[in-house]
């Protein structure tokens, strides 16, 4: 049976999943920020559970209409680093290539929510060619990161031609794809897609996933298709209040990620995207969560906790910190059980 993506309050009402009052509220939010929930994600939602971790990520809430003064339209500062349309060149050796502005789902906490959406425009063929020319003309670019939007919803011929074009640029060492598709729309991943990603240069995939419940059987088999094809997989997770901000959920999530042959890469502190304050934790809480994982679960299961500094200043690890400098090049270093030790040791 073919099902469509849920895009409007009316769709939810028609499916008898919300009350008409809720539908009016949702409609108000959707006017500001696009909504999309794939059939795969709809299936995972328990609509009788107000705190359902999937519903909270994808079903609009009127809390999003609460916009704080510090919440910025461009929270991670992409605009000042855009030399040509579709390129973000913030770090010397790597660029983002944003070919498309649509996603299979719209995460309610998205840091690019001002630019992604159903009415967002992608690159025209000429604009794509200019973006590729920028990459060709800048030999310092070692890595190209396809993002958006979600590049894995490009048509296969389009994806194929972009990957081929990048593979042919001598100075490009690796290609990376940032996507949510293997988890939220796993039916798009098949052998043909895996073949498209097998080129002479390594194509890494960074999969965005935030909760253990996202690992359905179909998601796991899509991920296995990619891993079997030899695509190195890493994950990105956003720290989200009420969804994954407890050690037990993060432990299950990072273990599931590793069990599925994905290396946890980043745990992102929530950005100042408009109307997302109900999802943000404090940095102190994030550090306490990371501390709770260190030593207790495998090192393979540990991501780096990072903050994208507002204004476009880059991503940096934000702890926790285990090292304290003393005088004379001596340090105190804390072990995973909070005991401090002098380094180098004194006898
Ligand atoms: C996040 C980001 C990258 C990738 O950063 P890594 O630390 O290499 O994962 C590159 N460019 C921009 C503009 C980014 O926001
Ligand atoms: S998939 Fe990524 S870009 Fe798309 S809405 Fe979610 S967070 Fe934003």
């Amino acid at each position: 049976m073919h099902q469509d993506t849920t895009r409007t309050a009316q769709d939810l009402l028609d499916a008898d999943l919300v009350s008409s009052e809720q539908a009016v509220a949702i409609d108000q939010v959707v006017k500001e920020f696009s909504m999309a929930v794939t059939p795969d994600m709809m299936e995972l939602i328990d609509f009788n559970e107000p705190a359902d971790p999937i519903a909270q990520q994808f079903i609009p809430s009127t809390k999003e209409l609460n916009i704080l003064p510090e919440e910025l339209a461009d929270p991670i500062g992409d605009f000042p680093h855009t030399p040509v349309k579709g390129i973000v060149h913030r770090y010397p050796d790597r660029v983002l290539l944003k070919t498309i502005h649509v996603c299979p789902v719209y995460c309610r906490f998205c840091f690019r929510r001002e630019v992604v959406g159903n009415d967002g425009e992608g690159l025209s063929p000429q604009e794509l060619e200019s973006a590729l020319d920028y990459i060709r003309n800048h030999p310092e670019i070692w890595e190209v990161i396809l993002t958006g939007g979600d590049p894995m919803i490009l048509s296969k011929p389009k994806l194929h031609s972009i990957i081929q074009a990048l593979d042919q640029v001598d100075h490009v060492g690796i290609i990376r794809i940032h996507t949510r598709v293997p988890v939220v729309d796993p039916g798009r991943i098949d052998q043909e897609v895996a073949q498209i990603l097998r080129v002479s240069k390594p194509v890494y995939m960074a999969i965005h996933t935030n909760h253990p419940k996202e690992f359905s059987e179909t998601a796991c088999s899509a991920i296995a298709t990619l891993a079997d094809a030899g695509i190195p997989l890493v994950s990105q997770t956003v720290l989200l209040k009420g969804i994954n901000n407890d050690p037990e959920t993060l432990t299950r999530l990072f273990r599931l990620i590793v069990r599925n042959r994905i290396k946890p890469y980043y745990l992102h502190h929530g950005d100042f995207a408009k109307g997302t304050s109900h999802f943000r934790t404090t940095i102190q809480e994030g550090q306490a969560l990371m501390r709770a994982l260190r030593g207790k679960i495998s090192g393979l299961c540990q991501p780096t906790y990072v903050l994208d500094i507002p204004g476009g200043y880059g991503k940096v690890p934000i702890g926790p910190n285990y090292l304290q400098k003393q005088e004379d090049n001596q340090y105190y270093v804390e072990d995973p059980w909070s005991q401090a030790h002098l380094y180098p040791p004194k006898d």
Side-chain angles (χ1 to χ4, degrees):
M1 189 185 73
H2 177 77
Q3 281 177 294
D4 288 327
T5 291
T6 301
R7 293 187 186 279
T8 63
Q10 190 63 44
D11 291 346
L12 290 169
L13 196 58
D14 291 347
D16 241 357
L17 295 168
V18 297
S19 67
S20 48
E21 268 164 40
Q22 285 171 313
V24 171
I26 289 171
D27 200 43
Q28 224 186 325
V29 180
V30 173
K31 287 197 178 94
E32 287 300 310
F33 306 111
S34 296
M35 160 175 165
V37 195
T38 54
D40 283 271
M41 290 297 102
M42 282 299 280
E43 202 167 298
L44 296 181
I45 296 176
D46 177 356
F47 277 88
N48 297 315
E49 169 53 73
D52 184 277
I54 308 294
Q56 286 192 78
Q57 291 188 67
F58 304 124
I59 305 292
S61 149
T62 47
K63 291 177 190 154
E64 293 168 50
L65 300 175
N66 174 29
I67 293 166
L68 306 182
E70 63 268 35
E71 291 176 338
L72 314 161
D74 179 26
I76 60 171
D78 279 352
F79 296 134
H81 299 280
T82 298
V84 297
K85 200 172 168 193
I87 294 279
V88 183
H89 198 174
R90 179 199 308 185
Y91 301 105
D93 79 330
R94 55 209 190 277
V95 293
L96 305 183
L97 173 55
K98 304 196 278 188
T99 59
I100 185 168
H101 287 174
V102 287
C103 295
V105 287
Y106 291 111
C107 311
R108 306 323 299 171
F109 46 83
C110 176
F111 58 110
R112 291 215 176 90
R113 61 188 330 198
E114 295 288 308
V115 288
V116 300
N118 296 328
D119 48 3
E121 46 170 333
L123 294 185
S124 71
Q126 291 86 343
E127 287 166 339
L128 176 61
E129 210 39 51
S130 309
L132 289 170
D133 277 338
Y134 181 87
I135 293 166
R136 292 180 187 117
N137 294 332
H138 286 79
E140 72 275 23
I141 298 173
W142 176 79
E143 179 177 18
V144 177
I145 302 168
L146 292 177
T147 182
D150 195 320
M152 292 310 288
I153 68 171
L154 289 167
S155 70
K156 285 175 186 171
K158 194 97 189 252
L159 182 66
H160 179 74
S161 79
I162 294 171
I163 299 281
Q164 287 295 324
L166 294 173
D167 196 36
Q168 278 156 25
V169 183
D170 278 343
H171 57 263
V172 171
I174 71 166
I175 300 161
R176 191 196 321 179
I177 300 177
H178 281 187
T179 180
R180 252 202 129 165
V181 161
V183 168
V184 301
D185 200 0
R188 288 180 182 270
I189 305 294
D190 56 19
Q191 293 299 338
E192 225 181 310
V193 168
Q195 279 312 312
I196 289 172
L197 304 182
R198 293 187 67 157
V199 289
S200 66
K201 286 174 185 161
V203 176
Y204 276 65
M205 190 177 274
I207 300 174
H208 173 181
T209 175
N210 303 321
H211 194 275
K213 201 173 170 182
E214 292 169 27
F215 285 78
S216 64
E217 219 171 287
T218 41
C220 292
S221 80
I223 293 164
T225 300
L226 295 162
D228 288 346
I231 312 297
L233 304 172
V234 300
S235 69
Q236 306 206 72
T237 296
V238 183
L239 183 57
L240 296 165
K241 192 198 270 183
I243 296 176
N244 62 18
N245 65 329
D246 63 275
E248 189 266 338
T249 304
L250 289 178
T251 296
R252 281 197 298 134
L253 175 64
F254 294 134
R255 282 184 169 163
L256 255 176
I257 288 173
V258 171
R259 283 287 299 264
N260 282 278
R261 290 182 278 173
I262 308 169
K263 171 67 187 90
Y265 178 46
Y266 281 158
L267 175 66
H268 293 272
H269 186 72
D271 291 305
F272 284 125
K274 277 189 183 166
T276 62
S277 59
H278 53 298
F279 288 120
R280 269 195 304 281
T281 67
T282 60
I283 287 180
Q284 199 182 12
E285 182 182 356
Q287 291 179 333
L289 286 165
M290 290 300 295
R291 252 179 208 281
L293 301 185
R294 178 59 64 184
K296 308 257 186 347
I297 63 170
S298 167
L300 280 178
C301 298
Q302 314 275 346
T304 303
Y305 179 39
V306 291
L307 175 71
D308 215 323
I309 305 170
Y313 300 104
K315 281 192 251 328
V316 287
I318 51 170
N321 177 30
Y322 293 85
L323 198 62
Q324 248 184 31
K325 196 166 190 311
Q326 308 295 114
E327 281 129 46
D328 305 330
N329 291 323
Q330 288 273 317
Y331 295 88
Y332 267 118
V333 58
E334 215 180 304
D335 69 28
W337 299 275
S338 305
Q339 294 280 346
H341 306 272
L342 210 50
Y343 182 91
K346 268 199 182 136
D347 34 41

